[in-house]
Every structure is written in C-alpha cells, then in structure tokens.
Amino acid sequence: DTAVSQTPKYLVTQMGNDKSIKCEQNLGHDTMYWYKQDSKKFLKIMFSYNNKELIINETVPNRFSPKSPDKAHLNLHINSLELGDSAVYFCASSQVGAQMSQYFGPGTRLTVL
Amino acid sequence: SQQGEEDPQALSIQEGENATMNCSYKTSINNLQWYRQNSGRGLVHLILIRSNEREKHSGRLRVTLDTSKKSSSLLITASRAADTASYFCATDASAGTYKYIFGTGTRLKVLA
C-alpha cells in the first residue's frame, strides 16, 4: 500500500547514456513533482504537473524531460547523462487545496560514472 | 530567489532534551511546512502553519511563525533517538502557486 513509489531505487550508469525514472502515486492526488537533492542535501524543485499539465518548469537543462501519462504517474527521462546529474531524485505528490502537504517517494539515487 | 535557511545546520543533543530549529525565509508566504528526512529516505510531512497562525502543536512538535521577522521555529520536546533525522522547512513561492521552496535543512542527532 505504498503511497508514492519510484523505480529504480538505485541507478548507476555511464556518462552520455539515457535513462528514465518512474513514479507512481496511489493517493488520488492531482499534482506531482520532481525534486533533485544534491550531496549537500539541498532539495530543488525541477518540475510539477497538475492533472497531467506541466505547471512548473524550473531552470533545468532540456536533457531532462518529464512525462505524465495520467494523474497517477510522472516519469523523468534524462538524455546524455553528465557527471553533475549524480544526485538523489525524489518524486512527490499533493492535492491542491488540501493543505498542500507533499508526499514523497523513497528517492532514486543516480550515479553517473 | 526565495529560499529558506535553517539554523543551526547541525544539532546534537541527549535523549530527553528539547531540540529547537529555526527557519528564515525571504518573501511573503501563505503557509510554511516542516518536513523530516531520515537517512536514505524521502521527506515526511510533519506540520503546516498558515501565515495567519502564530503557533501550532502536533504531539511533541511545536511550530511558531513570525511573519514580521520572516522566521519559523520547530521545537521537538523530550527528544528520542528515533528523532535523529534532517529537518527542512518549506515555503510556498507565492499565492496560488504549487511551488514550494525548501530550506537547507538542520541535521539533528539525538544521542541515547
């Protein structure tokens, strides 16, 4: 009965590769997010979707492309991976109007070699 | 850009003591939230306080908000080893936005 799940939990890959991270929430929320947490634990928002529509698109390289096939899923595809992409990526969801508290997934630790 | 900053960056206390963490932010907010992150895990929502509230309690947690100083504090009373985690504040970027800005976090260690 996991609320927000992400796959994979760990991802180790070579520079230049393309990879995807998947996120699913079973809370019935209408808004989903992707965050990046760097080695200093600084958490920065990357994207947000509300009812499958992109509403937040921070200054992120266009190598990062989110896709929301439906309200319950938000995937993140990364092209041409670089060393600086190494981080922990968190998916989160919330329900607009319901105090906006966010529910986070367990994170995906991406290591680019 | 707006960003919360927690103070102190790290805090080490004995079990049973109280822990106080502070958060400062830069622009007007509608609400402020506190989250906990255990090592290697995702963030867990602890408490939300609205801009028209000054204090809020939840179990052993007490949150205060001073909008004139643009600051908030999180007090954990009678701390336990299980409270060891990083604590983050998050503020909404502006009215009607879905965007939350997270602070830099306070790493709390509670020694048994």
Coordinates of all heavy atoms in Angstrom, one line a residue, chain A residues 33-48 56-61 64 76 87-92 102 104, chain B residues 1-3 37 43 88-90 99-104:
Chain A
Y33 N 5.4 16.1 -8.5 CA 6.6 16.9 -8.6 C 7.8 16.0 -8.8 O 7.8 14.8 -8.4 CB 6.8 17.6 -7.3 CG 5.7 18.4 -6.8 CD1 4.6 17.8 -6.1 CD2 5.6 19.8 -6.9 CE1 3.5 18.5 -5.6 CE2 4.5 20.6 -6.4 CZ 3.5 19.9 -5.7 OH 2.5 20.6 -5.2
W34 N 8.9 16.6 -9.3 CA 10.2 16.0 -9.3 C 11.1 17.0 -8.6 O 11.1 18.2 -9.0 CB 10.7 15.7 -10.7 CG 10.3 14.4 -11.3 CD1 9.4 14.2 -12.3 CD2 10.7 13.1 -10.8 NE1 9.2 12.9 -12.5 CE2 10.0 12.2 -11.6 CE3 11.5 12.6 -9.8 CZ2 10.1 10.8 -11.4 CZ3 11.6 11.3 -9.6 CH2 10.9 10.4 -10.4
Y35 N 11.9 16.5 -7.7 CA 12.9 17.2 -7.0 C 14.3 16.6 -7.2 O 14.4 15.4 -7.3 CB 12.7 17.3 -5.5 CG 11.5 18.1 -5.1 CD1 10.2 17.6 -5.0 CD2 11.7 19.5 -4.7 CE1 9.1 18.4 -4.6 CE2 10.6 20.2 -4.3 CZ 9.3 19.7 -4.2 OH 8.3 20.4 -3.8
K36 N 15.3 17.4 -7.1 CA 16.7 16.9 -7.1 C 17.4 17.3 -5.8 O 17.3 18.5 -5.4 CB 17.5 17.5 -8.3 CG 18.9 17.1 -8.3 CD 19.6 17.8 -9.5 CE 21.1 17.3 -9.6 NZ 21.8 18.0 -10.8
Q37 N 18.0 16.3 -5.1 CA 18.7 16.6 -3.9 C 20.1 16.3 -4.1 O 20.5 15.2 -4.4 CB 18.1 15.8 -2.7 CG 18.7 16.2 -1.4 CD 18.1 15.4 -0.2 OE1 17.8 14.2 -0.2 NE2 17.8 16.2 0.9
D38 N 21.0 17.3 -3.9 CA 22.4 17.2 -4.2 C 23.1 16.6 -2.9 O 22.5 16.3 -1.9 CB 23.0 18.5 -4.6 CG 22.9 19.6 -3.6 OD1 22.8 19.3 -2.4 OD2 23.0 20.7 -4.0
S39 N 24.4 16.5 -3.1 CA 25.2 15.9 -2.0 C 25.2 16.7 -0.7 O 25.4 16.1 0.4 CB 26.6 15.7 -2.5 OG 27.2 16.9 -2.8
K40 N 24.8 17.9 -0.8 CA 24.7 18.8 0.4 C 23.3 18.8 1.0 O 23.0 19.6 1.8 CB 25.2 20.2 0.1 CG 26.7 20.3 -0.2 CD 27.1 21.7 -0.4 CE 28.6 21.7 -0.7 NZ 29.1 23.1 -1.0
K41 N 22.5 17.9 0.5 CA 21.1 17.7 0.9 C 20.2 18.9 0.5 O 19.0 19.0 1.0 CB 21.0 17.6 2.4 CG 21.8 16.4 3.0 CD 21.3 15.1 2.4 CE 22.0 13.9 3.1 NZ 21.7 12.6 2.4
F42 N 20.7 19.8 -0.4 CA 19.8 20.8 -0.9 C 18.8 20.3 -1.8 O 19.1 19.6 -2.8 CB 20.7 21.9 -1.5 CG 19.9 23.1 -2.1 CD1 18.9 23.7 -1.3 CD2 20.1 23.5 -3.4 CE1 18.2 24.8 -1.8 CE2 19.3 24.5 -3.9 CZ 18.4 25.2 -3.1
L43 N 17.5 20.5 -1.5 CA 16.4 20.0 -2.3 C 15.9 21.1 -3.2 O 15.4 22.1 -2.8 CB 15.3 19.5 -1.4 CG 14.2 18.6 -1.9 CD1 14.8 17.2 -2.3 CD2 13.1 18.4 -0.9
K44 N 15.9 20.8 -4.5 CA 15.5 21.8 -5.5 C 14.4 21.3 -6.4 O 14.5 20.2 -7.0 CB 16.7 22.2 -6.3 CG 16.4 23.4 -7.3 CD 17.6 23.9 -8.0 CE 17.3 24.7 -9.2 NZ 16.5 25.9 -8.8
I45 N 13.3 22.0 -6.6 CA 12.2 21.6 -7.4 C 12.7 21.6 -8.9 O 13.4 22.6 -9.3 CB 10.9 22.4 -7.2 CG1 9.8 21.7 -7.9 CG2 11.1 23.8 -7.6 CD1 8.4 22.2 -7.5
M46 N 12.2 20.6 -9.7 CA 12.5 20.6 -11.1 C 11.3 20.9 -11.9 O 11.2 21.8 -12.8 CB 13.2 19.3 -11.5 CG 14.5 19.0 -10.7 SD 15.0 17.3 -11.1 CE 15.5 17.4 -12.8
F47 N 10.3 20.0 -11.7 CA 9.1 20.1 -12.5 C 7.9 19.8 -11.6 O 8.0 19.2 -10.5 CB 9.1 19.0 -13.6 CG 10.2 19.1 -14.5 CD1 11.3 18.2 -14.4 CD2 10.2 20.0 -15.6 CE1 12.3 18.2 -15.3 CE2 11.2 20.1 -16.5 CZ 12.3 19.2 -16.3
S48 N 6.7 20.3 -12.1 CA 5.4 19.9 -11.4 C 4.4 19.8 -12.5 O 4.3 20.6 -13.4 CB 5.0 20.9 -10.3 OG 3.8 20.5 -9.8
I56 N 5.0 23.7 -13.5 CA 6.3 24.3 -13.0 C 7.4 23.7 -13.8 O 7.5 22.4 -14.0 CB 6.5 24.0 -11.5 CG1 5.5 24.7 -10.6 CG2 8.0 24.4 -11.1 CD1 5.6 24.3 -9.2
N57 N 8.3 24.5 -14.4 CA 9.4 24.0 -15.1 C 10.6 24.9 -14.8 O 10.7 26.0 -15.3 CB 9.1 24.1 -16.6 CG 10.1 23.5 -17.5 OD1 11.2 23.1 -17.0 ND2 9.9 23.3 -18.8
E58 N 11.3 24.5 -13.8 CA 12.4 25.3 -13.3 C 13.5 25.3 -14.4 O 13.5 24.7 -15.4 CB 12.9 24.8 -12.0 CG 11.9 25.1 -10.9 CD 11.7 26.6 -10.6 OE1 12.6 27.2 -10.0 OE2 10.7 27.1 -11.0
T59 N 14.6 26.1 -14.0 CA 15.7 26.2 -14.9 C 16.5 24.9 -14.9 O 17.4 24.7 -14.1 CB 16.6 27.3 -14.5 OG1 15.9 28.5 -14.4 CG2 17.7 27.5 -15.6
V60 N 16.0 24.0 -15.7 CA 16.6 22.6 -15.8 C 17.1 22.4 -17.2 O 16.4 22.8 -18.2 CB 15.5 21.6 -15.4 CG1 16.1 20.2 -15.5 CG2 15.1 21.8 -14.0
P61 N 18.2 21.8 -17.4 CA 18.7 21.5 -18.8 C 17.6 20.7 -19.6 O 16.9 19.9 -19.0 CB 19.9 20.7 -18.6 CG 20.4 21.0 -17.2 CD 19.2 21.3 -16.4
F64 N 16.5 17.0 -19.5 CA 15.6 16.4 -18.6 C 14.2 16.6 -19.2 O 13.8 17.8 -19.5 CB 15.6 17.1 -17.3 CG 16.9 16.8 -16.5 CD1 18.1 17.4 -16.8 CD2 16.9 15.9 -15.5 CE1 19.2 17.1 -16.1 CE2 18.0 15.6 -14.8 CZ 19.2 16.2 -15.1
L76 N 10.5 10.6 -15.4 CA 11.5 11.6 -15.7 C 12.5 10.9 -16.6 O 13.1 9.9 -16.2 CB 12.2 12.1 -14.4 CG 13.3 13.1 -14.6 CD1 12.7 14.4 -15.1 CD2 14.0 13.4 -13.3
A87 N 22.8 12.5 -8.2 CA 22.1 13.1 -7.1 C 21.0 12.1 -6.8 O 20.9 11.0 -7.4 CB 21.4 14.4 -7.6
V88 N 20.2 12.5 -5.8 CA 19.0 11.7 -5.4 C 17.8 12.4 -6.0 O 17.6 13.6 -5.7 CB 18.9 11.4 -3.9 CG1 17.6 10.6 -3.7 CG2 20.1 10.8 -3.4
Y89 N 17.0 11.8 -6.7 CA 15.8 12.4 -7.4 C 14.6 11.9 -6.6 O 14.4 10.7 -6.5 CB 15.7 12.0 -8.8 CG 16.8 12.7 -9.6 CD1 18.1 12.1 -9.7 CD2 16.6 13.9 -10.2 CE1 19.2 12.7 -10.4 CE2 17.7 14.6 -10.9 CZ 18.9 14.0 -11.0 OH 19.9 14.6 -11.7
F90 N 13.8 12.8 -6.2 CA 12.6 12.5 -5.4 C 11.3 12.9 -6.2 O 11.2 14.0 -6.7 CB 12.5 13.2 -4.1 CG 13.5 12.7 -3.1 CD1 14.7 13.3 -2.8 CD2 13.1 11.5 -2.3 CE1 15.6 12.8 -1.9 CE2 14.0 11.0 -1.4 CZ 15.2 11.6 -1.2
C91 N 10.4 12.0 -6.2 CA 9.0 12.3 -6.7 C 8.2 12.6 -5.5 O 8.4 12.1 -4.4 CB 8.5 11.1 -7.5 SG 6.9 11.2 -8.1
A92 N 7.2 13.5 -5.7 CA 6.3 13.8 -4.7 C 4.9 14.1 -5.3 O 4.8 14.4 -6.5 CB 6.7 15.0 -3.9
Q102 N 3.0 17.6 0.9 CA 3.5 16.8 -0.1 C 3.9 15.4 0.4 O 4.5 15.3 1.5 CB 4.7 17.4 -0.8 CG 4.3 18.7 -1.5 CD 5.4 19.4 -2.3 OE1 6.2 18.7 -2.9 NE2 5.5 20.7 -2.3
F104 N 6.3 12.3 -0.3 CA 7.5 12.0 -1.1 C 7.7 10.5 -1.3 O 7.3 9.7 -0.4 CB 8.7 12.5 -0.4 CG 8.9 14.0 -0.6 CD1 8.1 14.9 0.1 CD2 9.8 14.5 -1.5 CE1 8.3 16.3 -0.1 CE2 10.0 15.9 -1.7 CZ 9.2 16.7 -1.0
Chain B
S1 N 16.5 34.3 -5.4 CA 15.3 33.6 -5.3 C 15.0 33.3 -3.9 O 15.9 33.2 -3.0 CB 15.4 32.3 -6.1 OG 16.4 31.5 -5.6
Q2 N 13.7 33.1 -3.6 CA 13.3 32.8 -2.2 C 13.9 31.4 -1.8 O 13.8 30.5 -2.5 CB 11.8 32.8 -2.1 CG 11.3 32.4 -0.7 CD 9.8 32.3 -0.7 OE1 9.2 32.1 -1.7 NE2 9.3 32.3 0.5
Q3 N 14.5 31.4 -0.6 CA 15.0 30.1 -0.1 C 15.0 30.2 1.4 O 15.4 31.1 2.0 CB 16.4 29.9 -0.6 CG 17.0 28.6 -0.1 CD 18.4 28.3 -0.6 OE1 18.8 28.9 -1.6 NE2 19.2 27.5 0.1
Q37 N 13.4 14.2 7.2 CA 14.0 13.2 6.3 C 15.0 12.3 7.1 O 16.0 12.8 7.5 CB 14.8 13.9 5.1 CG 15.3 12.9 4.1 CD 16.0 13.5 3.0 OE1 16.6 14.6 3.1 NE2 16.0 12.9 1.8
L43 N 11.2 12.6 2.2 CA 10.8 13.5 3.2 C 9.4 13.2 3.7 O 8.5 12.7 2.9 CB 10.8 15.0 2.7 CG 12.1 15.7 2.6 CD1 13.0 15.1 1.5 CD2 11.9 17.2 2.4
F88 N 13.6 20.0 7.5 CA 13.5 21.0 6.4 C 12.2 21.9 6.6 O 11.2 21.3 6.9 CB 13.5 20.4 5.0 CG 14.7 19.7 4.6 CD1 14.9 18.3 5.0 CD2 15.7 20.3 3.9 CE1 16.0 17.6 4.6 CE2 16.9 19.6 3.6 CZ 17.0 18.3 3.9
C89 N 12.4 23.2 6.4 CA 11.2 24.0 6.2 C 10.9 24.2 4.8 O 11.9 24.1 3.9 CB 11.3 25.3 7.0 SG 12.6 26.4 6.3
A90 N 9.7 24.4 4.4 CA 9.3 24.7 3.0 C 8.3 25.8 3.0 O 7.4 25.8 3.8 CB 8.8 23.4 2.4
K99 N 4.3 25.8 -6.1 CA 5.8 25.6 -5.9 C 6.2 25.9 -4.5 O 5.8 26.9 -3.9 CB 6.4 26.6 -6.8 CG 7.9 26.6 -6.8 CD 8.5 27.6 -7.8 CE 10.0 27.8 -7.7 NZ 10.5 28.8 -8.6
Y100 N 6.9 25.0 -3.9 CA 7.5 25.1 -2.6 C 9.0 25.2 -2.6 O 9.6 24.4 -3.4 CB 7.0 24.0 -1.6 CG 5.7 24.3 -1.0 CD1 4.5 24.1 -1.8 CD2 5.6 24.8 0.3 CE1 3.3 24.4 -1.2 CE2 4.3 25.1 0.8 CZ 3.2 24.9 0.1 OH 2.0 25.2 0.6
I101 N 9.5 26.1 -1.8 CA 11.0 26.2 -1.8 C 11.4 25.6 -0.4 O 10.9 26.0 0.6 CB 11.4 27.7 -1.8 CG1 10.8 28.4 -3.1 CG2 12.9 27.8 -1.8 CD1 11.3 27.9 -4.4
F102 N 12.3 24.7 -0.5 CA 12.8 24.0 0.7 C 14.1 24.7 1.2 O 14.9 25.2 0.4 CB 13.1 22.6 0.4 CG 11.9 21.7 0.3 CD1 11.0 21.7 -0.8 CD2 11.5 20.9 1.4 CE1 9.9 21.0 -0.8 CE2 10.4 20.2 1.4 CZ 9.5 20.2 0.3
G103 N 14.2 24.7 2.5 CA 15.4 25.2 3.1 C 16.6 24.3 3.0 O 16.5 23.2 2.4
T104 N 17.7 24.7 3.7 CA 18.9 23.9 3.6 C 19.0 22.7 4.6 O 19.8 21.9 4.5 CB 20.1 24.8 3.8 OG1 19.9 25.6 5.0 CG2 20.3 25.8 2.6

